Amino acid sequence: MSRPRIVIVGAGFAGYRTARTLSRLTRHQADITLLNPTDYFLYLPLLPQVAAGILEPRRVSVSLSGTLPHVRLVLGEADGIDLDGRTVHYTGPEGEEGTLAYDRLVLAAGSVNKLLPIPGVAEHAHGFRGLPEALYLRDHVTRQVELAAAADDRAECAARCTFVVVGAGYTGTEVAAHGAMYTDAQVRRHPMRTGMRPRWMLLDVAPRVMPEMDERLSRTAERVLRQRGVDVRMGTSVKEATHDGVVLTDGSTVDTRTLVWCVGVRPDPLVESLGLPMERGRLLVDPHLQVPGRPELFACGDVAAVPDLNQPGQYTPMTAQHAWRHGKVCAHNVVASLGRGHRRAYRHRDMGFVVDLGGAKAAANPLGLPMSGPAAGAVTRGYHLAAMPGNRVRVAADWLLDAVLPRQAVQLGLVRSWSVPLESSSPEVARVPGRPEQSGKDAGTAGTAGTAGTAGKHADGDEGKKQPGGEPAKGQPGGEPGRNQPGGEPGKNQPGGEPAKNQPGGEPAKNQPGGEPAERGPDAASAGSRSHGERAKRSQSGSPRASGKPRRAVEAAGPRSARGGSGKPGKSSRASGTGSAGKRPTAPSGPSRSAGQPADPGPEPPAHQPPPGPDIAPGPVRRTDGRAVEGDS
């Protein structure tokens, strides 16, 4: 008898716990496959501390392959499920596509940022659901404080050091609390010329901070925020977001370059495509986390509407605590469906909540006992250490170092504004140039017109091309430096830069074999003197277009040239042109490159054209260290 095949989609709290429990229960008698875009489990409750510089990113990232024995990890995003054929279609991180057959399927895809039909929010705000967004926010806040400290104009300084957080739930409250401490520490070390101080605002339409918690704990959290100078405005939200600020629902305008969107989350849109009964975007399941009418299909976590047996007629909320417990029950029921053990209904007991407000401040109610102050801080951090499935010693060490040493306020520049758009269907993965988002999963909530699929302008002044994976405009106020500028990204066709234009899905690069000559480049004259037959040959070997299926571009690492050529996912060609797949195109007449001899600089430029400057290669691009570039003859 063949071994049963179990596929788990998603490695959040629910998916990770399901995989870990199944690995123990099946005792190597089943093939368990975990499909996830990243190779780590993210401990979300500590993400605000990553943005505040307390913890390093890898501290909250637990290796899947290192902590899930006997579980096969497949990197990719599920973009289609065939329920009748029992297969899951996915797209890998480099654009490769594949399918996974299953006998039991567990959907634990999690949630994404929740959009509201507010003008400008999708273009100018950023969410807080993954490591890329936390790293971007850390760099962005650091940059704005540094730019404000160097500004002589009080209005510009005030706008740059004003930070608006929308959503006073657990995440928004912790982001504002930790962010205020982080910026205050920066200003103490480097005071601003204008004498101003950073200003944090926390907005929400709810009547109080953290309405999910006990009213006493809510008052405790609000008191801590106000003591740190946070402007808490309840019953107020954003009416419109612009490049220079936000318009609030009370009619006031706030000049700012930072808008953090922590309003809430919505289930991953993947489950909407199944055509099964839904409850507010969540897949309806029975108390055993099984989809009615589909004995092979289970769902848990944020994508599942699980009946709350303690409160008939209601469903368990979308919290990490419930998702973690869903995973354990789901694993037992999957094994029971294979003929081992008995099914369990999901019942829960409220263990309380903890909110870390930074330093020794916290609000907690373990087992229903309200606590605040240092005692709550100790309970909160103790709970996180106990709940983390790994990295406990490293997290504790970072906390100790943060208590005795000052934090490092530096910009790493690893994540750009346009790579973490609010409407992204995969907040755990930063966008890369040339990788289109999956069109079926990028749509926001109903009524969000014109927001899906646009990178647009963002709060730090970057202006995208309003295309998935687009690049920000250069030279905008508060934006990031342009390419080939100090601190900017490397230029195209340069080592470590973006894939060249003559790669699959792009246009032929100018001055490259098979491409068009530059209009004013040094080869412009020689291009006109080439034979008509060669020009015809180049025109017929145009670049292939993208097939329209979700693909991921591979950024060239170091001095190696970008891959491409064949147009097939996962395969590369050493051809430097854009000819047909599997064949190296005929190079146009002109200088050829070799590993041992210097390249011929080509014909002299015409008399009316100035010679190329020292920064411009007068012929094909070649390495300066004498070694051959990949693809050289």
Side-chain angles (χ1 to χ4, degrees):
M1 181 177 179
S2 60
R3 292 155 57 96
R5 299 164 298 179
I6 305 173
V7 174
I8 305 169
V9 178
F13 280 89
Y16 180 87
R17 186 75 182 277
T18 301
R20 194 172 74 169
T21 307
L22 279 174
S23 176
R24 176 176 55 86
L25 294 178
T26 56
R27 300 179 181 178
H28 322 306
Q29 300 301 315
D31 294 329
I32 306 172
T33 302
L34 180 61
L35 177 64
N36 197 58
T38 63
D39 64 347
Y40 59 83
F41 158 74
L42 177 63
Y43 190 76
L44 271 172
L46 293 181
L47 202 58
Q49 298 191 24
V50 174
I54 300 175
L55 297 177
E56 291 301 315
R58 286 184 294 180
R59 304 295 185 259
V60 299
S61 310
V62 179
S63 171
L64 296 178
S65 57
T67 57
L68 296 178
H70 315 297
V71 174
R72 175 195 174 201
L73 173 63
V74 176
L75 294 179
E77 296 183 52
D79 49 29
I81 298 176
D82 183 358
L83 295 178
D84 296 329
R86 295 195 176 187
T87 57
V88 177
H89 183 273
Y90 69 91
T91 302
E94 297 185 356
E96 69 277 13
E97 299 179 0
T99 57
L100 298 173
Y102 65 84
D103 297 310
R104 297 293 184 273
L105 176 63
V106 179
L107 291 178
S111 55
V112 298
N113 292 311
K114 180 181 180 180
L115 296 180
L116 297 178
I118 300 176
V121 166
E123 292 84 4
H124 302 282
H126 287 280
F128 203 79
R129 289 290 300 166
L131 269 182
E133 293 173 322
L135 293 176
Y136 164 76
L137 182 62
R138 178 175 174 177
D139 276 1
H140 172 76
V141 170
T142 304
R143 178 170 61 253
Q144 295 307 311
V145 173
E146 292 172 348
L147 292 175
D152 294 324
D153 182 62
R154 290 186 62 86
E156 179 185 356
C157 180
R160 291 195 180 280
C161 62
T162 298
F163 308 96
V164 179
V165 181
V166 185
Y170 299 105
T171 302
T173 301
E174 290 187 344
V175 167
H178 284 281
M181 293 186 63
Y182 180 62
T183 53
D184 285 346
Q186 282 187 268
V187 174
R188 281 196 299 268
R189 298 173 63 184
H190 303 286
M192 298 185 182
R193 296 183 183 181
T194 58
M196 303 186 68
R197 299 189 63 83
R199 175 192 181 194
W200 284 80
M201 298 182 64
L202 182 62
L203 313 176
D204 202 310
V205 295
R208 57 187 175 90
V209 174
M210 293 187 301
E212 304 90 348
M213 295 190 69
D214 181 78
E215 187 174 355
R216 176 180 174 183
L217 296 178
S218 177
R219 291 196 303 267
T220 299
E222 183 174 351
R223 183 177 65 254
V224 172
L225 292 173
R226 294 189 183 277
Q227 288 174 352
R228 292 181 182 166
V230 178
D231 185 1
V232 181
R233 298 191 184 184
M234 295 293 98
T236 307
S237 188
V238 174
K239 181 179 180 181
E240 181 182 0
T242 64
H243 169 67
D244 299 322
V246 293
V247 180
L248 305 184
T249 53
D250 59 6
S252 60
T253 301
V254 178
D255 294 334
T256 182
R257 301 291 189 271
T258 307
L259 181 59
V260 186
W261 192 255
C262 302
V263 170
V265 295
R266 62 188 178 96
D268 192 293
L270 173 68
V271 297
E272 298 176 359
S273 62
L274 300 179
L276 297 174
M278 309 287 292
E279 173 64 30
R280 295 186 178 181
R282 303 163 71 184
L283 191 62
L284 274 174
V285 297
D286 59 22
H288 302 93
L289 309 179
Q290 199 166 19
V291 177
R294 292 283 180 178
E296 78 286 354
L297 182 59
F298 297 79
C300 54
D302 290 349
V303 299
V306 183
D308 191 341
L309 299 183
N310 295 332
Q311 301 180 19
Q314 298 187 19
Y315 300 93
T316 58
M318 298 168 59
T319 63
Q321 186 177 133
H322 283 288
W324 187 252
R325 298 174 181 178
H326 285 175
K328 182 178 181 180
V329 174
C330 184
H332 280 276
N333 291 337
V334 168
V335 173
S337 69
L338 298 175
R340 303 175 186 175
H342 302 281
R343 296 199 306 170
R344 301 182 180 181
Y346 178 73
R347 292 182 180 272
H348 71 94
R349 179 189 175 192
D350 189 4
M351 303 295 293
F353 296 94
V354 293
V355 179
D356 191 341
L357 301 176
K361 304 292 185 178
N365 61 342
L367 301 177
L369 178 63
M371 301 178 64
S372 61
V379 170
T380 298
R381 295 200 168 184
Y383 168 80
H384 287 316
L385 286 179
M388 286 196 67
N391 297 342
R392 296 186 181 95
V393 175
R394 291 184 172 91
V395 170
D398 276 4
W399 284 341
L400 177 62
L401 292 176
D402 180 71
V404 298
L405 297 176
R407 302 180 195 175
Q408 290 182 316
V410 294
Q411 303 177 50
L412 300 179
L414 300 178
V415 181
R416 302 292 183 175
S417 171
W418 51 268
S419 63
V420 284
L422 180 63
E423 92 289 348
S424 174
S425 62
S426 301
E428 66 274 12
V429 180
R431 284 185 180 176
V432 296
R435 186 197 77 194
E437 287 289 301
Q438 301 178 22
S439 59
K441 295 177 65 178
D442 259 351
T445 54
T448 312
T451 59
T454 61
K457 296 181 180 179
H458 297 289
D460 62 349
D462 300 336
E463 184 175 357
K465 294 182 179 179
K466 296 190 177 182
Q467 294 294 336
E471 303 163 15
K474 289 82 180 174
Q476 297 295 333
E480 286 145 3
R483 288 186 170 83
N484 301 328
Q485 300 297 329
E489 297 179 356
K492 296 184 179 180
N493 300 331
Q494 298 297 329
E498 301 176 17
K501 289 186 177 181
N502 60 340
Q503 301 305 321
E507 300 175 357
K510 297 181 178 181
N511 294 333
Q512 297 296 329
E516 298 176 3
E519 295 179 1
R520 292 181 296 276
D523 289 339
S526 62
S529 62
R530 288 174 179 159
S531 64
H532 173 75
E534 291 174 357
R535 291 196 300 268
K537 183 181 298 183
R538 290 198 310 272
S539 64
Q540 292 174 1
S541 61
S543 61
R545 292 186 176 271
S547 61
K549 296 180 180 180
R551 296 175 59 88
R552 298 178 183 272
V554 186
E555 297 186 69
R560 298 174 63 88
S561 60
R563 297 191 177 189
S566 66
K568 296 181 180 180
K571 295 184 180 292
S572 63
S573 172
R574 298 177 63 88
S576 59
T578 55
S580 58
K583 297 182 180 180
R584 187 184 182 96
T586 304
S589 61
S592 61
R593 294 184 293 174
S594 64
Q597 298 179 355
D600 185 0
E604 294 293 332
H608 65 275
Q609 190 174 21
D615 298 340
I616 305 176
V621 180
R622 59 187 298 272
R623 293 176 60 110
T624 58
D625 56 5
R627 293 184 295 172
V629 182
E630 182 183 6
D632 287 356
S633 58

